[in-house]
Amino acid sequence: MRRATALRLRVCTSALLVLGVLGATEASADPAPDSAPDATREAAAAAPALVDALARDLGIGEDEARTRLAQEAEAAEAQPAARDAAGDAFAGAWFDPAAGSLVVAVTDPAAAGEVRETGAETRLVAHSAAELDATAEAIADLAEGGAPPEGVVGWGVDTRANTVTLDIVRGTAGDAEVAAFVADARRAGPVEVRERADAAPAPFAAGVVGGDPYRTGNVRCSIGFSVHGGFVTAGHCGQPGAAVYGWDGSLMGRFEGSSWPGNDYGWVSVGHGWWTVPVVLGWGTVSDALVRGSAEAPIGASVCRSGSTTGWHCGTVLGKNETVNYVGGEVVHGLTRTSVCAQPGDSGGSYISGDQAQGVTSGGWGNCSSGGQTWHQPVNEILSAYGLRLHTA
């Protein structure tokens, strides 16, 4: 029964690929990825299937989900101007679902008034974003000589707590190597140690199984987002030059670029009868989502993920610019942490907020039965690294 359902989904996808050829010329004239019209974004935010998915995964009512989507879109649009207004006093920003607005942390009371004029709320804190970023970078320098201890999950700036958090696996605080790393990290600046992972995180690639969205060698991963000429995905899924095969086993293209570890991104050029479309699969849970840009959602905003193993799941953005120490000692920087679950085979898949592309699945801990957390590589960094242009509707 599961195979039959997957087949029907793939047939629908093939139809979308054909339509993508007809719309390719028009797509090149679309506005920049982060400039989607307000009316378009409001329409996407009000999509009943998306509202249902958020209500289910966030445990809120449908009216609350609909309101939240609209508020998050406004917060994302206000974020750049609010950051500029804060200047050197900027200490991070996040979406507050209780207030329904963007909150900007500042270190100087004089900057608060200018920030509020952009429509954002403010909070006075002790440490600037620059100071916290420098602390996180100093911890990264500690690991330059080799991988951190296995009990160290990773680290990153916790904007709402105005500190750098160093995450460790529960029960490992007493390990000698972990304790030594923690002591060195504390000397780098404001650091809070948290035991909040049940296991060390791992990339979400998997061995080949039937109905793969794409595979390379003996690894199955998921498509991230279409770009003009191909698609972006996770770097750990393939090396430059590696052949890529589609869900039907036919040759799609090859990896043109790949960065892993350090980063976790790559891009695949496609041909051989395959075309790109600005669509993220809803896997029958929601309608397939159109991608209209890549405006970055703030911390606290809702985000949904599409992957070939677990389909469509939603959660919230928990942190940004985090460093993760994966099983095997591969360290990756600059990742965004979310409460969305994932499992092997979901690697490379899409994270989307409303109709705005956010990133591609890197890895995490837990699963979609018991819960967990995941990290994604921000899509705008991938586009910039390879000079790519997002395929938008």
Side-chain angles (χ1 to χ4, degrees):
M1 187 66 182
R2 185 179 178 188
R3 287 177 63 86
T5 301
L7 178 58
R8 286 196 293 272
L9 286 168
R10 298 307 183 188
V11 170
C12 293
T13 304
S14 297
L16 286 170
L17 290 172
V18 173
L19 291 174
V21 177
L22 301 177
T25 301
E26 295 180 355
S28 64
D30 284 348
D34 60 351
S35 58
D38 291 345
T40 298
R41 299 186 66 180
E42 290 174 3
L50 178 57
V51 171
D52 290 344
L54 286 178
R56 177 201 66 193
D57 288 347
L58 299 186
I60 58 179
E62 291 184 5
D63 288 343
E64 186 178 352
R66 191 174 294 106
T67 299
R68 177 168 179 155
L69 283 166
Q71 292 172 337
E72 288 175 355
E74 292 178 0
E77 292 173 355
Q79 190 170 218
R83 176 166 189 159
D84 289 344
D88 293 339
F90 179 73
W94 63 92
F95 173 75
D96 180 1
S101 63
L102 183 71
V103 179
V104 176
V106 294
T107 57
D108 184 353
E114 294 185 26
V115 172
R116 285 193 290 269
E117 290 181 1
T118 69
E121 300 295 325
T122 58
R123 180 179 297 178
L124 188 62
V125 296
H127 309 291
S128 69
E131 181 183 354
L132 295 176
D133 288 343
T135 299
E137 290 175 6
I139 298 175
D141 290 341
L142 295 176
E144 283 298 315
E150 290 185 3
V152 175
V153 172
W155 56 89
V157 174
D158 185 334
T159 301
R160 285 173 285 196
N162 194 232
T163 189
V164 173
T165 59
L166 178 64
D167 296 345
I168 61 175
V169 176
R170 289 184 180 90
T172 64
D175 294 354
E177 290 184 350
V178 173
F181 190 88
V182 166
D184 289 340
R186 288 189 187 280
R187 287 190 284 270
V191 171
E192 179 180 343
V193 178
R194 298 179 183 176
E195 295 187 6
R196 61 180 179 187
D198 294 320
F204 285 124
V208 174
V209 297
D212 294 342
Y214 86 85
R215 66 179 177 85
T216 178
N218 65 345
V219 172
R220 172 170 63 87
C221 284
S222 302
I223 292 172
F225 294 97
S226 287
V227 296
H228 289 275
F231 63 84
V232 294
T233 187
H236 71 261
C237 291
Q239 296 295 317
V244 173
Y245 298 87
W247 61 269
D248 61 353
S250 68
L251 180 65
M252 293 181 72
R254 66 175 185 176
F255 268 87
E256 297 293 342
S258 176
S259 181
W260 164 266
N263 301 299
D264 192 6
Y265 54 65
W267 85 280
V268 174
S269 62
V270 300
H272 311 282
W274 292 82
W275 299 276
T276 63
V277 289
V279 173
V280 174
L281 289 175
W283 296 99
T285 301
V286 299
S287 300
D288 294 346
L290 289 176
V291 178
R292 301 189 184 278
S294 58
E296 185 178 343
I299 291 171
S302 62
V303 65
C304 297
R305 179 194 54 73
S306 180
S308 61
T309 298
T310 58
W312 184 277
H313 287 273
C314 301
T316 58
V317 178
L318 300 177
K320 297 185 179 183
N321 197 25
E322 295 197 350
T323 296
V324 179
N325 180 28
Y326 285 123
V327 171
E330 291 92 352
V331 178
V332 181
H333 307 286
L335 299 180
T336 296
R337 181 167 54 91
T338 78
S339 64
V340 188
C341 67
Q343 293 176 196
D346 288 328
S347 277
S350 324
Y351 281 79
I352 187 168
S353 183
D355 57 4
Q356 301 295 298
Q358 298 299 307
V360 301
T361 305
S362 177
W365 59 271
N367 55 54
C368 289
S369 296
S370 60
Q373 294 182 355
T374 54
W375 285 265
H376 69 257
Q377 181 84 59
V379 70
N380 286 330
E381 181 181 354
I382 309 174
L383 300 178
S384 176
Y386 294 119
L388 301 171
R389 189 155 57 96
L390 190 68
H391 192 165
T392 57

